[in-house]
Amino acid sequence: NFPAQFVAEGIDQTRGWFYTLMVLSTALFDKPAFLNNIVNGIILTEDGQKMSKSRGNVINPDEVVDRIGADALRVYVMFMGPFDNVMPWSEASLNGAARFLSRVWKEVSRLAKTISEMPEEDKELKLLMQRTIKKVTESTEQFKFNTAISSLMEFLNVLETKKTVGRDILEPFVLLLSPYAPHVAEELWQLMGHGESLMYYQWPQYDEQILMGASVKIPVQVNGKVRGELVLQPEAEQENVEKEARELPNVSRYLEGAQVKKVIYVPGKMINFVVGG
């Protein structure tokens, strides 16, 4: 006998299976088999309507794959926005994903011809690689696929300015790309001289000491007056910076009981809470 709230009329199949498994595992093992349930969002048509077979407005993925390739479709869907959001389909953005992969192919295959076996001497590029590894790793683990791909795009912009790079730069980039564009990444991996699939290679690891050495101090302000200071990485996301700032004792004292009307964040520079009342 399941609790009444789990048998609500009209419950969708996804939630139905989730609740059923949760109740069964709790009954049998005294604890749930998993702690949360992440459900992907809905993709709408370009004019904002819900896709359905009855309306005849669904996108056939086979046709898209035939047109631009499986990897481009995969990158586009994961780059559309947050995993659980409702998002409209966009042919322009779809083509943008295909162009991104074309640029990746062009640049990595170019650099692979002159790839250096020596560690990269460009300190700024090495630091950017460390930041990219950390960002893509954490974003992927948190289902923030769009921000992971955005980091790869930013790194590609820098790669396009280089005449040659070390293997310690190019290989991690391709490995980071592989969950999002596995076919393209596999081909590029072979172009770099590997006979074995990249699936057998370890995921890139970042060096926290290197990143800590590149951290910056930013002032935390309340209504323009400095009330604290944070040490963080220049590209830290506002959500994380705001959370840490609120936890500073002297900042929380000024925010307690006040209404935060606006939060102004300049990456790597400052964060300011505008309060009133």
Side-chain angles (χ1 to χ4, degrees), residues 102-268:
S102 294
R103 288 171 54 208
V104 169
W105 181 268
K106 176 183 177 181
E107 294 307 313
V108 176
S109 58
R110 174 183 67 84
L111 292 169
K113 296 176 183 178
T114 58
I115 193 169
S116 171
E117 301 296 332
M118 298 295 292
E120 186 60 53
E121 296 182 0
D122 188 332
K123 291 184 178 181
E124 290 187 7
L125 184 60
K126 290 184 72 171
L127 179 58
L128 179 60
M129 182 78 264
Q130 291 291 307
R131 289 173 175 165
T132 304
I133 293 173
K134 180 178 174 65
K135 182 65 176 178
V136 173
T137 300
E138 293 180 346
S139 295
T140 302
E141 291 174 345
Q142 297 166 7
F143 285 74
K144 296 180 179 180
F145 305 133
N146 56 318
T147 60
I149 295 173
S150 178
S151 295
L152 292 171
M153 290 177 172
E154 291 172 6
F155 194 83
L156 176 63
N157 291 338
V158 177
L159 276 186
E160 289 176 327
T161 68
K162 304 297 179 180
K163 292 183 179 180
T164 182
V165 297
R167 189 173 289 275
D168 61 328
I169 295 294
L170 206 57
E171 287 189 353
F173 176 74
V174 174
L175 287 169
L176 293 173
L177 176 72
S178 62
Y180 300 95
H183 304 92
V184 169
E186 195 70 62
E187 292 291 333
L188 292 172
W189 194 248
Q190 292 185 24
L191 278 180
M192 288 189 287
H194 294 284
E196 193 175 42
S197 170
L198 57 72
M199 67 181 292
Y200 297 109
Y201 287 77
Q202 185 181 16
W203 182 257
Q205 305 294 310
Y206 58 89
D207 189 327
E208 195 66 58
Q209 294 301 316
I210 294 178
L211 293 176
M212 284 299 294
S215 297
V216 296
K217 293 181 180 180
I218 69 166
V220 180
Q221 303 174 357
V222 178
N223 284 345
K225 294 183 179 181
V226 177
R227 301 300 184 186
E229 188 178 72
L230 286 177
V231 178
L232 42 75
Q233 294 176 26
E235 74 282 3
E237 291 186 0
Q238 178 172 340
E239 179 183 354
N240 298 328
V241 176
E242 185 176 335
K243 180 177 181 297
E244 290 186 35
R246 287 176 178 272
E247 292 173 353
L248 293 175
N250 196 42
V251 174
S252 63
R253 181 162 65 92
Y254 283 94
L255 296 182
E256 186 176 358
Q259 179 185 3
V260 178
K261 296 183 176 180
K262 187 178 182 181
V263 179
I264 302 171
Y265 176 55
V266 181

Side-chain angles (χ1 to χ4, degrees), residues 7-13 15:
V7 202
E9 183 178 355
I11 191 171
D12 63 65
Q13 194 175 56
R15 284 191 298 155

Side-chain angles (χ1 to χ4, degrees), residues 44-51 55 57 88-89:
L44 308 176
T45 60
E46 290 199 84
D47 59 2
Q49 295 187 34
K50 184 176 180 180
M51 292 187 186
R55 293 178 179 175
N57 61 356
W89 182 268

